[in-house]
Amino acid sequence: MKALVFEHNLARFAASRLASAVAGSGHGVGIGPLELLEIDPPELPGQGWVRLEPRLAGICGSDLATLDGRSSRYFEHLVSFPFIPGHEIVADATGGRFDGARVVVEPVLGCEARGIVPPCNACAGGHKGSCDRIAFGELAPGLQTGYCSDTGGGWSAGLVAHESQLWEVPAGLADEEAVMVEPTACAVHAACSIGSSSSVVVLGAGTLGLCTIAALRAFSLPGRLLAIAKHPQQRRLAAELGADEVAAPDEVTRAARRITGTFGLGHVEGRIERLAGGVDVVLDCVGSAQSIEESLAIVRPGGEIVLVGMPGSVRVDLAPLWQREVCLRGAYAYGSERRPEGTRPTFELAFELVEAARLGRLVSASYPLERYEEAIGHAAAAGHRGAVKIVFDLRRQSRLPRMTSPKEAE
Amino acid sequence: MSPRPGFVLEVDRSTPSTLFWHGEGYRLEKLPIGSRVIYAPEPFHALRDPDAAVRQALDHPLGDSQPLRSLLRPGMRLTIAFDDVSLPLPPMRSPDVRQRVIEAVLEVAAAAGVDDVVLIAALALHRRMTDDELRHALGSRVFDAFAPNGLLWQHDAEDPSNLLHLGQTEEGEDVEINKRAAESDLLVYVNINLVAMDGGHKSVATGLASYKSLRHHHNVRTMRASKSFMDRHHSQLHTSNWRMGRLIAAAGVKVFQIETTLNTDTFPAEFRFLQRREWEWSLRDRAGFLATSKALERTPAEIARRLFHSIKSPHDLTSVQAGEVEAVHDRTLQMVHAQQLVPVEGQTDVLTMGLPYICPYNVNSIMNPILVACLGLGYFFNLYRNKPLVREGGVLILSHPTPWAFNPVHHPSYIDFFEQVLAETTDLVEIESKYEHAFATDPWYRHLYRTSYAYHGVHPFYMWYWCAHALEHLGRVVVVGGDRAAVRRLGFFPASTLADALEIASDVVGRDPSITHLHAPPLLIADVS
């Protein structure tokens, strides 16, 4: 079967890192560790595992960081090589209780998938994202499907998944909607982790940022929601999905000041360097040094910054974090969320949100695996090119790429 | 020789190119044959002895007022309020007319033994004046006598401890003004009536008012019903101010109004070509035009801005009258009209105008896009009496670089208004209902207005409302040579050249429109029949 395989090749890794640093994200793919190969399908690791044939598989920001050589060395012990990327997956299942069903994969490889009995406290509590055994058990290390050498990943014609990872897709949900469930679940988890706040800023309006806006509107009821979006298409979608105000990146401090009515500091050349007070919560869906600095500049004393986008190694002045007693924390993956009606799996909430907010419209273009360099280039420049989510379409491999404009997707 | 009246030229083959102001520069444009160009009357002669004229006015007041000296007595509280940095334009060379008048008032007060005197700059919601600006307006003698002793104030429309609510008019308008002024035994107001809009009851009722009071007439409904601001009998803005002024008087505030008029001698000798009719340019005028044009081509915008803002106008005093507000203002308007009215026959399909580098709200500052709109649609469009110069549904063509640039100290809320509000809508009513309150009550804007040199948070809204009548009246607004993104943000059409602008206008007014150019400044009022 065909698969995009990511090898542990330091020379290629360095070349990719250099190319993407010089020419921009996505430009190192041709010379990097990712190759389209003909390989054998992965073995079923044990009982409860089934085979999947992906229909659509998304390209995520964390995938791009990996391909660009920008991902943190922190993950070195949490992945196993070679791996097949792709964790945003809608697929056809063969075998087990999902035989013949269309499924979405919940990619975290927690204790149950790893055959670890008894499960760790986090898994036992339904918080798979916080599993502390992701490098142990019957599988090679890998925090998720798409980073584990034993399971394969979505960027291929076939992979294996544990039944505990699968969610059957309702008949009325299109593949383009189903492939959005996983990134939406990340956003739902982040949104559900903050209490009711009078002012919330979402930094970044790529897939994760837009899903976070929708999730905040659905599950967290912020008093005033400001979205920071760079490109016109992102700005339009951010407003449609529930942002009260949308501002450009160079307006972030001024816009945050407006919604809070606080005072500005360092008011030079029309720019406000930072705020005296600030917003209650910043959800940083970018994860760069700049976005963290910006978050620190606009969050109020005692406020909270939630890193939703995957950060890497960054250099940030933490003096404001200390002086203002700001809480900086992450929001990773999913598990279960406390809702007024009781505790519910994040994926269940994500399915509901994808349908209610019509998040399938965020899928802008699809490519066959053979055109992976173009696909990744498109994903890396998605905002600039008026796109949001780029996916691999594995339903008819020989077909030319089917481009779906956001308008058509609506 | 008497100054010549205003003039309406019909462009023919022999007509030289017409000078259009273009921010910190100007353009020569060839107007189509048959176009009209309206020129201001020549400047009236200056009063021979302005100081004597001031003394005469104080001693022989108009209306039912007694002479100033009769109103003064030892132990009384005297407050002298004066127009702020927004007048005159450009700032006039020393001595400023406010200095002349205030020195004369203080002499009379000193002779009467009055020693409780406070000067107040009537800012309304404008930015505070700098010490240099105050010193220039008042002269060093007055400034040094009052400022170091804390007796030179700047009206603070956000200081609840120094505002006094005097009541409501019969229309339910709150009248709240500066407490010191309201509680003084006598309030002397020293005005400069550069245009017909200034003065009268507007001096105290606006200049010394709070936001709570100003919002009753600085709103979309009132601005739309002010046709025009230069014609107080057809201006709801003035009608509202007159109601308030009468309430102020009825509440016992004794106002002694001193109004002054200036001639239209606007630019110093080296820029004299700017106020001459092009076919009458002398060799010196042509040389001046060429020299400054060439120099400006090579001058960075910031330096050009500083250069122009350093211009001090040779404006001369043409009249001064004092006493009861309405009687004084009637005489003032006669003088303003005599100097500025130009009879114009009929309206036009397309009105063109070149906008200069300065308006009342960017003295020593940047003419940001909102101020460009306000100057063009709020001020120059309203330089008419009877009917607008341009017909309903016609096109206004402005020439101005319209930079996407703001002075962050003077205009902080303008930046947000432009980035947030105009990005969403240019609709006046929606803007007023959805955004005004938040900007007007924003504590940071309030802080900057009170302690720095910022216009009040609500001020950009007022500038936009100022365009209300024009926006309702016009079919299209085109800006020549402006920053295209900024022009579009205003809801206007950008054009590279006048020819392009006329092409854009043709969608609205057809291929053979009548065209009229308002050749100002110097300022004029078109009396359209």
Side-chain angles (χ1 to χ4, degrees), chain B residues 156-173:
Chain B
D156 182 349
E158 290 289 350
D159 178 5
S161 68
N162 194 28
L163 290 169
L164 188 64
H165 191 265
L166 296 174
Q168 285 190 331
T169 68
E170 63 272 24
E171 297 291 325
E173 298 150 317

Side-chain angles (χ1 to χ4, degrees), chain B residues 116-189:
Chain B
D116 182 355
V117 184
V118 166
L119 303 186
I120 304 179
L123 303 182
L125 304 181
H126 298 174
R127 70 167 172 87
R128 297 185 324 129
M129 295 169 74
T130 64
D131 281 358
D132 284 349
E133 290 164 345
L134 286 164
R135 187 181 287 279
H136 179 78
L138 303 173
S140 289
R141 223 172 86 195
V142 173
F143 182 85
D144 290 336
F146 283 79
N149 299 314
L151 300 173
L152 173 52
W153 298 8
Q154 307 213 45
H155 172 61
D156 182 349
E158 290 289 350
D159 178 5
S161 68
N162 194 28
L163 290 169
L164 188 64
H165 191 265
L166 296 174
Q168 285 190 331
T169 68
E170 63 272 24
E171 297 291 325
E173 298 150 317
D174 295 282
V175 180
E176 186 175 62
I177 66 167
N178 187 286
K179 190 175 181 182
R180 160 78 200 196
E183 292 181 344
S184 288
D185 298 301
L186 183 66
L187 169 61
V188 173
Y189 195 100

Side-chain angles (χ1 to χ4, degrees), chain A residues 203-204 226-231 234-235 245-256 258 271 294, chain B residues 404 419 423 489:
Chain A
L203 278 183
L226 166 68
I228 304 301
K230 192 172 183 181
H231 303 286
Q234 295 176 338
R235 295 169 70 95
E245 191 181 332
V246 184
D250 60 352
E251 298 169 3
V252 56
T253 322
R254 187 169 283 282
R258 278 197 299 262
R271 292 181 177 278
E294 283 172 350
Chain B
W404 188 308
E419 283 183 358
R489 175 64 59 90

